[in-house]
Amino acid sequence: MSGAEGRARRVLTEAPTDLIVDRLAAELARAYGVARTELYQVDYRLAELLPLDDGPSAITGPGHPAWRAFDHQEPVIADGVGWFPVGMRGERRGVLKVSPVPADPDARRELDTVATVLGHELSAVMATTDIYRTARRSRRLTLAAEMQWELLPGRSRIRPSFSLAGQLEPAYAVRGDSFDWSDDGHRLWLAVLNGYGEGVAASLLASLATYALRNARRARLDLADQAALADQAIYAQHRGEQHVSVLLIELDLATGEMTVVDAGSPRLLRLRAGEVTEQELDKQFPLGMFEGTDYRPQRFRLEREDRLFVVSDGVVDATTEQVRYGEVALDRFLRRTGPMEPLDAVRSLIGDLRAFVAGDLVDDAVVVCLDWLGPQP
């Protein structure tokens, strides 16, 4: 690490929450001769790169150097301008624009590292300020959507043994569909929720289910007992009048053994060697439908480089002029995602759905993509 890079790191960690980018810009100007530094964050729809400041325009064109840096997670240099990906452990936040970019390759590598440190700092301060959240929305979120996005663990996650991503649609008006995940280096837990109801009521129900599942998971209960505890919590609150369809997955990162509890409608599809198959699951009652439901786990073994998709019924049932998107179109599209990273696969599927309905989806939809890369030393 050079002295310039070290100073930039210190500036990022010591700057006031609201001045992180301003202080970084001043340091990059002093140390690298950069005249202009700008942060662009990806919006909730994964469709626009939005500037932190009001002056620059949003970047929407997929061929733009900023999008190439975001998509490939590599620096892109074009016309004397450098675009560096900003993220943290697989969570893509946006890109950092610097101009003019230094010609020295070592300086460019240092700027790439600084952009990554910026991603960590943004994650660290996100709970204490609204500045960065407000700047990454192109329109107002509904109250239900605000609650749902606050509930999520992130939008993508990368570890040596797996890569994971998820997206909600319609991003600015989602109600009850959601997802949650956690890993401890040995196991990965994933929950995908297909919500019930409308508006804030649906979001509240999804929140109750998510926190009940987290509470059970953090008590180190097995997957079936996690479902049972959440089932009891929802039934106690709503007495069967409201319920949540959930798919629960626990993946052993050393063996690829997957434990599943299917408590409702989210579908599990596997892409292996270019072929899509739906995993046959023992469908059980949604959480909260009846009092004291006992849930039974199933176990499957994944092969290295298997890709899993979990989709809610809002994906398959998306319609335009009385025509459903359907299983055939879904399977055909999923086969084309093989070379893509999970977040790109999710974004592409949601984009295909938007194109199909010629706009945002009306009904909630959730898509989660998980790549099992095999056990790692």
Side-chain angles (χ1 to χ4, degrees):
M1 181 193 307
S2 73
E5 180 186 335
R7 288 191 297 271
R9 285 171 175 262
R10 285 195 299 275
V11 165
L12 285 170
T13 57
E14 296 172 1
T17 299
D18 58 321
L19 298 176
I20 289 177
V21 177
D22 290 342
R23 295 288 173 85
L24 175 63
E27 180 58 29
L28 297 187
R30 190 189 68 80
Y32 297 97
V34 172
R36 190 172 183 86
T37 299
E38 298 169 282
L39 171 65
Y40 287 78
Q41 299 179 100
V42 69
D43 85 314
Y44 287 85
R45 294 175 78 241
L46 290 170
E48 299 180 69
L49 289 168
L50 300 174
L52 182 62
D53 299 322
D54 294 333
S57 301
I59 300 173
T60 58
H64 194 282
W67 276 112
R68 299 207 307 271
F70 180 86
D71 290 337
H72 300 291
Q73 290 296 283
E74 295 178 353
V76 172
I77 311 300
D79 299 324
V81 178
W83 302 90
F84 298 89
V86 175
M88 182 197 71
R89 293 184 171 90
E91 177 71 12
R92 302 186 199 177
R93 295 200 171 276
V95 293
L96 187 68
K97 175 185 178 182
V98 299
S99 60
V101 65
D104 181 11
D106 290 336
R108 292 181 177 183
R109 281 191 291 270
E110 291 173 4
L111 289 172
D112 188 28
T113 301
V114 168
T116 300
V117 177
L118 173 60
H120 283 72
E121 287 304 311
L122 292 177
S123 298
V125 305
M126 202 64 72
T128 65
T129 180
D130 291 334
I131 293 172
Y132 305 103
R133 282 191 177 92
T134 300
R136 60 181 286 250
R137 54 189 73 183
S138 60
R139 68 185 78 161
R140 182 176 177 178
L141 290 171
T142 64
L143 176 56
E146 188 86 51
M147 295 167 65
Q148 287 295 76
W149 284 104
E150 288 295 299
L151 192 64
L152 298 184
R155 196 147 49 181
S156 53
R157 179 88 168 99
I158 295 176
R159 291 203 62 155
S161 55
F162 71 86
S163 185
L164 178 64
Q167 175 67 6
L168 306 179
E169 180 72 14
Y172 287 89
V174 67
R175 300 173 292 274
D177 284 11
S178 190
F179 57 83
D180 190 34
W181 61 57
S182 179
D183 71 272
D184 64 0
H186 303 285
R187 289 170 295 176
L188 166 68
W189 293 270
L190 170 64
V192 183
L193 294 78
N194 192 178
Y196 172 88
E198 297 292 333
V200 172
S203 185
L204 287 170
L205 183 61
S207 297
L208 174 60
T210 299
Y211 282 115
L213 289 168
R214 287 175 179 174
N215 179 253
R217 184 184 72 222
R218 292 164 183 170
R220 300 184 178 179
L221 302 183
D222 64 32
L223 207 63
D225 287 341
Q226 291 176 32
L229 187 146
D231 172 67
Q232 293 167 15
I234 296 170
Y235 186 85
Q237 186 70 24
H238 297 288
R239 312 306 296 179
E241 295 183 2
Q242 296 188 47
H243 47 81
V244 182
S245 297
V246 179
L247 184 66
L248 297 177
I249 295 174
E250 180 181 317
L251 177 61
D252 188 316
L253 300 179
T255 65
E257 183 177 72
M258 185 172 67
T259 305
V260 179
V261 171
D262 182 0
S265 65
R267 300 176 58 195
L268 179 61
L269 302 132
R270 184 191 68 209
L271 178 62
R272 175 182 290 172
E275 293 299 321
V276 177
T277 57
E278 181 168 2
Q279 182 66 60
E280 293 292 334
L281 298 175
D282 181 9
K283 296 189 180 300
Q284 302 169 74
F285 292 126
L287 304 183
M289 181 171 282
F290 299 106
E291 185 176 14
T293 302
D294 290 325
Y295 291 93
R296 301 175 303 279
Q298 296 172 267
R299 290 178 174 81
F300 310 96
R301 184 62 62 91
L302 294 182
E303 295 181 5
R304 188 185 295 268
E305 297 185 358
D306 274 355
R307 167 167 286 182
L308 300 178
F309 284 94
V310 185
V311 299
S312 66
D313 53 12
V315 174
V316 178
D317 293 340
T319 59
T320 178
E321 298 180 354
Q322 308 306 313
V323 178
R324 291 174 70 246
Y325 188 75
E327 288 84 355
V328 175
L330 177 62
D331 288 0
R332 182 170 57 246
F333 192 86
L334 295 186
R335 284 196 297 272
R336 289 159 44 192
T337 69
M340 303 178 187
E341 292 294 322
L343 183 63
D344 301 322
V346 166
R347 181 158 61 111
S348 295
L349 175 55
I350 293 294
D352 197 55
L353 289 170
R354 291 192 194 119
F356 178 76
V357 303
D360 287 338
L361 299 186
V362 175
D363 295 328
D364 278 10
V366 58
V367 179
V368 174
C369 178
L370 167 63
D371 281 356
W372 162 240
L373 305 176
Q376 304 295 319

